[in-house]
Amino acid sequence: MSNKGYMSFEDFQKESFKNNPELEKAYHDLDQKYEIISNFIKLRNELNLTQKDIESITGVKQESLSRFESGNLKNVSLGYLSKLIKPLGYKINLSFEKV
């Protein structure tokens, strides 16, 4: 707790997760989702491509890509991700880590 009486975000998380393992799991599941999205946006920016450019290259509609990048596309599959990155010359690299 800070000296102004406010709880830090880390303390808030610990307190929120303490008796609610379902909330903690849901939070960490979103971490993975947004890490994937962030990595794709970073790649797209490094390649200096717009969403319209991606549509032209991959055939994935710009509207779908926009929903994906904003986190509003439900049920993103490995197939969808492959369709986005393979035409750009990249592949998906998955790893497993003990939690």
Side-chain angles (χ1 to χ4, degrees):
M1 183 104 44
S2 75
N3 59 3
K4 294 184 180 183
Y6 295 104
M7 183 181 289
S8 72
F9 181 71
E10 291 78 16
D11 289 341
F12 173 77
Q13 271 186 315
K14 287 177 190 173
E15 190 65 30
S16 298
F17 296 159
K18 188 176 1 180
N19 296 314
N20 196 339
E22 295 86 14
L23 177 63
E24 185 173 12
K25 181 186 179 319
Y27 178 83
H28 290 297
D29 287 349
L30 286 176
D31 274 353
Q32 293 172 340
K33 176 182 178 179
Y34 288 108
E35 182 179 359
I36 290 168
I37 293 168
S38 176
N39 286 341
F40 178 77
I41 293 170
K42 181 180 174 187
L43 174 64
R44 183 172 65 77
N45 287 331
E46 285 172 0
L47 297 173
N48 201 29
L49 297 172
T50 66
Q51 290 180 349
K52 275 299 207 187
D53 294 334
I54 298 291
E55 179 181 36
S56 297
I57 295 167
T58 67
V60 174
K61 296 285 184 197
Q62 183 271 328
E63 295 82 5
S64 173
L65 182 57
S66 177
R67 286 194 308 275
F68 165 66
E69 288 188 356
S70 66
N72 293 320
L73 185 64
K74 296 182 181 189
N75 302 321
V76 175
S77 67
L78 289 176
Y80 181 86
L81 294 172
S82 290
K83 190 173 181 180
L84 285 177
I85 65 168
K86 277 188 176 184
L88 303 176
Y90 289 82
K91 68 176 186 167
I92 295 172
N93 183 16
L94 294 176
S95 65
F96 297 98
E97 297 176 10
K98 185 161 177 65
V99 290

